[in-house]
Amino acid sequence: MNKPVSVMPNELLRLQKMHNGDKVKPTFSAAEMERRQNGLRRALAELKLDAALLTSYHNINYFSDFLYCYFGRKYAFIVTDKKAISVSAGIDAGQPWRRTFGDNITYTDWRKDNYFFALQQELKGAKRVGIEFDHVNLEFHQQLRDALPGVELVDIGQTTMWMRTIKSAEEIALIKEGARTADLGGEAIRAALKENIAEHEVALAGTQAMVRHIAKTFPHAELMDTWVWFQSGINTDGAHNPVTSRKVQKGDILSLNCFPMIAGYYTALERTLFLDHASDAHLKVWEVNCEVHRRGLELLRPGARCGDVATELNEIYRSHGLLGYRSFGYGHSFGVLCHYYGREAGVELREDINTILQPGMVVSMEPMVSLPEGMPGAGGYREHDILVLTEDGAENITGFPFGPEHNIVPA
């Protein structure tokens, strides 16, 4: 067993090896993590790079199994042909070491710029280093140039994004568990619904059900970031509107949004519901959105082009006079992402995306229209399923039903 490191505070101490305790049970097998890191090494060789300096939540998590807590400090995961090491802040002590598939070095707060000092030590001799242009802002980029004089900084963000879009069998198994967890959160929300209950109370019921299920199913996992957005009435107009204390009334349009997070992997369940009854105008719009959703589920197959899916679904909305009320794309890739980090932007179901869907991708279908207050059927309508693309089709891993026949909840 690794013994705790005893360190006397010293303003000259810039780096520590805080190898406190044993490595924890990882999310994925050693073979899976070696597959990812070796794939990155092959990319480095192809791009003639000496190292990858990853700094985003999603890439550090994907390649190391360590999900950092930013809180105003910088993190990194450095991969070369010979090593893989996370760079973490001293405030986290041994947790990054225990979670990282690889080594870890900790920088202290005792002197300014110790983070960059750590990078200098770990990147000695490097001439070309890959960084994530989509994550490094202008100030950070200048700091890297100052800390690594003579080093050419090359974008590796796009390369790593495409690597993440094709999921392994282990990733798909985890994502399926996430989808099952979201379904359980949805059931807890449905059970909690009643007249005059506040949105936040409904959301708490769903969140608690999901966290408890994750804890039971993944007893060695860190429990963080699982949440629910439950919206009612006018609050349904935006897909990402926060929970409020508004009280649910009979006839309200409701939006159920369950988001379990397991080891940085996000899954989602989103459904339109009504309490007690829905007006004829609401039913009409809801049925159209369900029509779009059903057709979208049929279109998600290997060989389909993202932009073509969006274009065809647009025609259904247009035929009902609702296209102008669509507010975002029809779906996106799933994997290592969250509401405050990560995106595999190359796989989004938008008109301007030309990506061809492939087996191993995991993609959502989530059409939404939002009608403003004062219009018949006002409110936001959203359905959301997750599909795993297979060699000859797609597997829908969302089980919670959708549509008026299922989701008008008795008061």
Side-chain angles (χ1 to χ4, degrees), residues 114-150:
N114 282 350
Y115 170 80
F116 296 101
F117 179 74
L119 300 188
Q120 292 169 342
Q121 305 313 301
E122 298 301 330
L123 292 169
K124 282 182 177 178
K127 297 301 182 184
R128 280 170 54 87
V129 173
I131 65 172
E132 301 168 72
F133 281 14
D134 58 352
H135 182 259
V136 173
N137 61 29
L138 291 175
E139 179 185 39
F140 191 10
H141 188 265
Q142 186 60 53
Q143 290 171 329
L144 289 173
R145 291 181 62 185
D146 292 343
L148 303 170

Side-chain angles (χ1 to χ4, degrees), residues 146-370:
D146 292 343
L148 303 170
V151 174
E152 183 180 359
L153 302 177
V154 179
D155 182 37
I156 202 170
Q158 288 295 303
T159 298
T160 53
M161 183 269 289
W162 288 115
M163 291 175 66
R164 299 194 317 271
T165 60
I166 305 296
K167 317 302 175 188
S168 68
E170 289 190 30
E171 286 183 281
I172 290 172
L174 182 71
I175 292 169
K176 286 182 176 180
E177 280 298 329
R180 189 162 74 94
T181 303
D183 286 342
L184 294 173
E187 293 294 345
I189 286 173
R190 192 208 298 267
L193 272 173
K194 59 184 178 181
E195 189 176 17
N196 289 322
I197 190 170
E199 289 178 1
H200 71 277
E201 294 293 347
V202 179
L204 284 170
T207 303
Q208 290 170 355
M210 291 191 292
V211 170
R212 287 169 178 151
H213 179 72
I214 295 169
K216 181 179 178 180
T217 309
F218 299 91
H220 299 285
E222 294 173 339
L223 302 173
M224 56 187 292
D225 298 331
T226 292
W227 85 105
V228 167
W229 282 325
F230 177 79
Q231 302 134 348
S232 64
I234 194 171
N235 295 336
T236 64
D237 66 344
H240 299 159
N241 291 353
V243 172
T244 75
S245 57
R246 182 186 184 277
K247 293 184 178 180
V248 176
Q249 302 301 311
K250 290 181 181 180
D252 271 351
I253 186 171
L254 310 171
S255 188
L256 174 161
N257 306 271
C258 293
F259 305 115
M261 291 289 294
I262 306 172
Y265 277 73
Y266 161 96
T267 45
L269 168 70
E270 299 173 4
R271 289 290 185 259
T272 301
L273 304 92
F274 283 80
L275 182 64
D276 189 67
H277 66 275
S279 72
D280 290 343
H282 283 102
L283 285 171
K284 182 178 179 180
V285 179
W286 193 6
E287 290 282 15
V288 171
N289 207 52
C290 289
E291 179 186 350
V292 173
H293 187 55
R294 291 187 186 94
R295 181 55 182 154
L297 294 174
E298 295 171 351
L299 292 174
L300 294 184
R301 297 293 184 270
R305 190 179 73 91
C306 291
D308 291 341
V309 173
T311 299
E312 178 169 338
L313 297 181
N314 281 347
E315 290 307 310
I316 302 176
Y317 280 139
R318 182 178 284 112
S319 69
H320 294 281
L322 291 174
L323 183 58
Y325 300 103
R326 201 198 100 192
S327 56
F328 58 89
Y330 288 99
H332 57 82
S333 179
F334 271 73
V336 180
L337 62 108
C338 188
H339 59 315
Y340 57 81
Y341 66 83
R343 196 69 159 180
E344 293 165 8
V347 186
E348 294 202 23
L349 304 178
R350 300 186 343 185
E351 296 84 347
D352 57 351
I353 301 293
N354 294 315
T355 302
I356 304 298
L357 299 180
Q358 301 176 47
M361 290 181 172
V362 180
V363 186
S364 63
M365 173 50 55
E366 48 181 301
M368 178 178 181
V369 288
S370 182

Side-chain angles (χ1 to χ4, degrees), residues 50-61:
D50 299 309
L53 170 58
L54 304 175
T55 52
S56 67
Y57 291 101
H58 40 285
N59 270 334
I60 291 178
N61 186 43

